[in-house]
C-alpha cells in the first residue's frame, strides 16, 4: 500500500488504490494520482507513450479500453 513515484525524480504517479491484477508481468493501474502526474503522447492506435509529468522519465504505456472495467484504460 502507498504511493508509486518516479524512480528518477520522486514525482507522485499512482496510488496503490488504483492498482489491480493483470496478466502482464508489470504493475497495472486504472488512473494516475493527478492529471499532471504523467504526460502522454500517441504512439500507435490504442496505446499512448507515458512519461513522468515532472522530469519526462519513460514509464511505459497507457492502453486504452484495456482496464478492468469497460471503457477504462490500463497504465
Amino acid at each position: 500500500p502507498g504511493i508509486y513515484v518516479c524512480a528518477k525524480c520522486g514525482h507522485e504517479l499512482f496510488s496503490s488504490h488504483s492498482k489491480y491484477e493483470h496478466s502482464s508481468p508489470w504493475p497495472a493501474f486504472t488512473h494516475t494520482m493527478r492529471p499532471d502526474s504523467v504526460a502522454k503522447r500517441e504512439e500507435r492506435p490504442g496505446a499512448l507513450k507515458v512519461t513522468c509529468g515532472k522530469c519526462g522519465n519513460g514509464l511505459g504505456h497507457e492502453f486504452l479500453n484495456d482496464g478492468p472495467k469497460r471503457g477504462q484504460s490500463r497504465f
Side-chain angles (χ1 to χ4, degrees), residues 24-54:
S24 74
W26 299 279
F29 302 90
T30 55
H31 57 275
T32 61
M33 287 286 297
R34 295 182 304 277
D36 68 346
S37 292
V38 301
K40 308 172 193 180
R41 67 174 171 78
E42 187 172 11
E43 185 170 80
R44 62 183 186 270
L48 306 176
K49 183 72 175 168
V50 178
T51 58
C52 174
K54 184 175 181 181

